[in-house]
Structures are given as structure tokens and as C-alpha cells.
């Protein structure tokens, strides 16, 4: 059984490039795979590996400037959900494109999973899902507003166009692990919104701690690895991933005439050229050959 750790931490890294190689080295030494992003504003990512190896990597991250208070969310899997380890430098660890947003200065009020149901059931609360449209499509909270955004960078424009809908409302926001809400709540506070809340630990913590019989969550939660989606108790979900468009596909999607494994799905049937499709088919042939050899083809990675 492997441990999966999802983490983020906002802090000031004066030279994130200098942190990359040592972080990559400890991950490789410990047999840990996944993806970590470094930027001047901090660190974000998900990693998987043996429990002891994950512990060593987390200890290394906690030793970085300002990261002693690092928190993370753990789940477990019997198959490695990543093909390799990547440590990348980015302008932002979650891209919002708002240079004045700084979660280190202020964020909304944290709400624990145990208290979340009561908050979002109140009539004066507007519940907003800050994730991308394809994530919302496979699961969200009861009564939540879906902004229908393709990327988090689109959220500020959506809010400006729709803020009148939430006049005199308290705002409750949520995302997968909490990182988007750190920025989106800071953004709303900067615009003068007084009562802004967000789910501490995100959907993943809620699904881990709140029993299904008490839950206001409907569907599954998209995750950015080969597990694709998780259910209550952080158990594997039923969705797969289309390796053409990288969107989740449901069991019903896989019965559609528009579905061809590794090549297209109902969501992207009209989005690629014939040349693209042939390239995807060749990649899928290589994936299947690798699978027969008991190997992993990098083209099938999340």
C-alpha cells in the first residue's frame, strides 16, 4: 500500500530554482513520484510512494524557508498513480493571474468539515465551487454555484460579472484541497466582501472525515493523477481519463459511440483533427504494447 500526499504551502522563496535539485534528489532517493511546483509564492503538488519515503520528503519540505507549519492530506492506493517524478518552476503555484492577491496577508474564515454542512445549508449563504468546469461536472456540493470556468484564471472575470447575484450573502467557497480558496478568498476580501468562508482541507478532507450518510456531497472528486476520481473515504471512484483531452470520463461515457480509448471521448469528439486522432491511436497502440509487457508507457500518464 502506497501513501499519497497532497500538499501546498504559501511562503516566500527568494530563489525557488535553488530548491529544485535538492528536492528532486530526495524524492528520487526515496522512490517517490508525482508532481511538485515551486514558485516565489511557495510550493504545491501531490506525491506518492512508500510511507517512509513520503515522510522523508515531507520532512525535507518542512525544512524549507517558512514551511515548518506545512500541512498535507493523505490517502492510500495499492498502485502507483504517477509514472515519474517532476519538480517544476512556475510563476504561480496555482495560476490566478492576479498579482495583488497574497494569501499570506489574509484569507477567508476556515470552516472544518464537521461544520461545513451547517454553513452551506443556511439561507443567507452562497456556496461557490472554484474548480474548473470538467471537475464540477463529476461532483459538487448540494446547492453549489458552478461558475463554468475553464481555468482558475477565469474566476476573477466571472466574479466581476456575477457579484451582484450575491448581494447581502455570506460567501462559502471550496475546492479540491484548499489552495484555490486561499487565493479566491483573499481576492474577494480585497474587493470588500466582508464575510467570506472556505472549507479547510478542501473536498478531500471532507470526504475523508464526513460519513457518507451525513454528506451533502454528490458524485466524485476529480484528482490530478491516475486515480482520476475519489469517493467518500477517499476510495477510488468510477471515472477514467480521456488521454486525448485529459477530461474525466464516466462509465456511461465509455459506452458512447464517440468513445475510443486513448483517442477520443464524448467531450472532445469534435475538438481534434484527423491527424491528431491518428497520433493518439499510435500512442494508444504503444500503451497497450507496454501494458502487455508489464511496463508503463509515459504517454498514458496523468
Amino acid at each position: 500500500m502506497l501513501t499519497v500526499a497532497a500538499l501546498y504551502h504559501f511562503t516566500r522563496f527568494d530563489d525557488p530554482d535553488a530548491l529544485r535539485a535538492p528536492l528532486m534528489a530526495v524524492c528520487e532517493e526515496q522512490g517517490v513520484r508525482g508532481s511538485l511546483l515551486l514558485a516565489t509564492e511557495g510550493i504545491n503538488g501531490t506525491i506518492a510512494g512508500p510511507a517512509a519515503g513520503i515522510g522523508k520528503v515531507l520532512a525535507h519540505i518542512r525544512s524549507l524557508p517558512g514551511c515548518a507549519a506545512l500541512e498535507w492530506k493523505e490517502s492510500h492506493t495499492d498502485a502507483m498513480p504517477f509514472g515519474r517524478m517532476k519538480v517544476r518552476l512556475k510563476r504561480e503555484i496555482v495560476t490566478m493571474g492576479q498579482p495583488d492577491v497574497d494569501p499570506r496577508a489574509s484569507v477567508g474564515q476556515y470552516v472544518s468539515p464537521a461544520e461545513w454542512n451547517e454553513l452551506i445549508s443556511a439561507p443567507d449563504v452562497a456556496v461557490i465551487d472554484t474548480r474548473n468546469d470538467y471537475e464540477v461536472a463529476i461532483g459538487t456540493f448540494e446547492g453549489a454555484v458552478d461558475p463554468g470556468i475553464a481555468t482558475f484564471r477565469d474566476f476573477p472575470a466571472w466574479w466581476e460579472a456575477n457579484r451582484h447575484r450575491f448581494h447581502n450573502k455570506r460567501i462559502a467557497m471550496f475546492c479540491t484541497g484548499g489552495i484555490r480558496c486561499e487565493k479566491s478568498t483573499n481576492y474577494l476580501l480585497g474587493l470588500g466582501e466582508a464575510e467570506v468562508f472556505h472549507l479547510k482541507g478542501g473536498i478531500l478532507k471532507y470526504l475523508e472525515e464526513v460519513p457518507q450518510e451525513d454528506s451533502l456531497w454528490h458524485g466524485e472528486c476529480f484528482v490530478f493523477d491516475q486515480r482520476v476520481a475519489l469517493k467518500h473515504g477517499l476510495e477510488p471512484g468510477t471515472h477514467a481519463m480521456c488521454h486525448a483531452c485529459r477530461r474525466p470520463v464516466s462509465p456511461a461515457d465509455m459506452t458512447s459511440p464517440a468513445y475510443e480509448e486513448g483517442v477520443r471521448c464524448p467531450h472532445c469528439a469534435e475538438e481534434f483533427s484527423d491527424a491528431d486522432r491518428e497520433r493518439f491511436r499510435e500512442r494508444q497502440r504503444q500503451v497497450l504494447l507496454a501494458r502487455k509487457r508489464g511496463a508503463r508507457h509515459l504517454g498514458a500518464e496523468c
Side-chain angles (χ1 to χ4, degrees), residues 120 125-129 140-146 174 216 218:
I120 68 173
V125 170
V127 188
I128 300 176
D129 195 329
T140 193
F141 280 106
E142 188 173 299
V145 175
D146 174 13
F174 66 92
L216 295 181
H218 299 295

Side-chain angles (χ1 to χ4, degrees), residues 1-4 27 29-33 47-57 74 76 80:
M1 187 63 68
L2 300 173
T3 297
V4 182
C27 290
E29 288 168 4
Q30 298 300 322
V32 169
R33 300 179 187 176
I47 52 175
I54 293 292
K56 291 287 183 64
V57 174
E74 283 191 8
H76 298 88
M80 172 56 75

Side-chain angles (χ1 to χ4, degrees), residues 18-67:
L19 307 178
R20 182 183 176 279
L23 180 55
M24 185 70 175
V26 72
C27 290
E28 292 181 333
E29 288 168 4
Q30 298 300 322
V32 169
R33 300 179 187 176
S35 179
L36 292 170
L37 305 180
L38 292 168
T40 55
E41 66 179 7
I43 185 169
N44 176 32
T46 304
I47 52 175
I54 293 292
K56 291 287 183 64
V57 174
L58 293 174
H60 178 87
I61 295 173
R62 288 198 301 273
S63 74
L64 300 179
C67 289

Side-chain angles (χ1 to χ4, degrees), residues 1-143:
M1 187 63 68
L2 300 173
T3 297
V4 182
L7 62 97
Y8 71 86
H9 193 74
F10 285 96
T11 186
R12 175 71 186 184
F13 290 150
D14 291 324
D15 187 5
D17 188 28
L19 307 178
R20 182 183 176 279
L23 180 55
M24 185 70 175
V26 72
C27 290
E28 292 181 333
E29 288 168 4
Q30 298 300 322
V32 169
R33 300 179 187 176
S35 179
L36 292 170
L37 305 180
L38 292 168
T40 55
E41 66 179 7
I43 185 169
N44 176 32
T46 304
I47 52 175
I54 293 292
K56 291 287 183 64
V57 174
L58 293 174
H60 178 87
I61 295 173
R62 288 198 301 273
S63 74
L64 300 179
C67 289
L70 174 77
E71 296 183 5
W72 64 92
K73 289 163 287 296
E74 283 191 8
S75 57
H76 298 88
T77 180
D78 56 5
M80 172 56 75
F82 297 103
R84 55 185 169 177
M85 187 66 221
K86 295 178 285 188
V87 180
R88 294 183 290 173
L89 301 177
K90 301 284 283 188
R91 189 178 299 273
E92 300 178 69
I93 56 174
V94 59
T95 302
M96 194 180 195
Q98 297 292 313
D100 294 331
V101 165
D102 183 4
R104 295 171 299 167
S106 63
V107 294
Q109 299 178 53
Y110 292 109
V111 180
S112 71
E115 300 169 315
W116 183 248
N117 286 358
E118 181 180 0
L119 174 68
I120 68 173
S121 299
D124 66 331
V125 170
V127 188
I128 300 176
D129 195 329
T130 65
R131 299 171 302 150
N132 298 343
D133 50 8
Y134 62 88
E135 300 173 76
V136 180
I138 71 169
T140 193
F141 280 106
E142 188 173 299

